[in-house]
């Protein structure tokens, strides 16, 4: 039978032993992950920023109260200067 011939050839070349040796070396090696100190610092900064709310509700309440009471005043010169500065910043 041909199966017996393949078995004999396999025994001659010891293919099974080589395959088992490759499997053993694959199992012995492990993958490792190391994070640089810059990566750790970045992760710490992201966590700190995530803890800070995007909207400062105390400031919003203060401005809302000023608008409702009519005491909130906008300085036109200051506002114009900020708009121009932002425009110049965006055009760079």
């Amino acid at each position: 039978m041909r199966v017996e011939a393949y078995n004999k050839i396999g025994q001659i070349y010891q293919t099974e032993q080589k395959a088992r040796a490759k499997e053993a070396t694959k199992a012995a090696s492990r993958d490792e992950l190391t994070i640089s100190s810059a990566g750790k610092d970045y992760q710490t900064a992201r966590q700190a920023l995530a803890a800070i709310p995007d909207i400062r509700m105390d400031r919003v309440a203060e401005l809302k109260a000023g608008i409702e009471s009519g005491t909130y005043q906008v300085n036109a010169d200051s506002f114009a200067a900020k708009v121009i500065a932002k425009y110049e910043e965006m055009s760079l």
Side-chain angles (χ1 to χ4, degrees):
M1 250 183 122
R2 299 199 111 209
V3 175
E4 292 175 9
Y6 287 121
N7 287 338
K8 289 181 182 179
I9 292 172
Q11 289 173 356
I12 292 172
Y13 290 105
Q14 300 174 352
T15 56
E16 290 180 21
Q17 291 177 355
K18 290 179 184 178
R20 288 182 191 161
K22 286 181 183 179
E23 289 176 13
T25 56
K26 286 181 183 178
S29 65
R30 287 183 22 177
D31 292 335
E32 291 185 24
L33 172 70
T34 55
I35 300 174
S36 67
S37 61
K40 290 177 185 177
D41 292 342
Y42 177 76
Q43 184 178 14
T44 303
R46 280 192 70 183
Q47 289 173 348
L49 285 174
I52 299 171
D54 291 337
I55 300 171
R56 294 175 37 199
M57 294 309 291
D58 58 332
R59 183 73 176 133
V60 170
E62 180 184 322
L63 292 172
K64 192 181 278 189
I67 292 169
E68 288 174 357
S69 68
T71 60
Y72 180 74
Q73 297 294 321
V74 177
N75 183 345
D77 294 332
S78 173
F79 179 76
K82 289 180 183 178
V83 169
I84 291 170
K86 188 67 172 177
Y87 177 76
E88 289 173 349
E89 179 183 306
M90 290 173 59
S91 64
L92 294 177

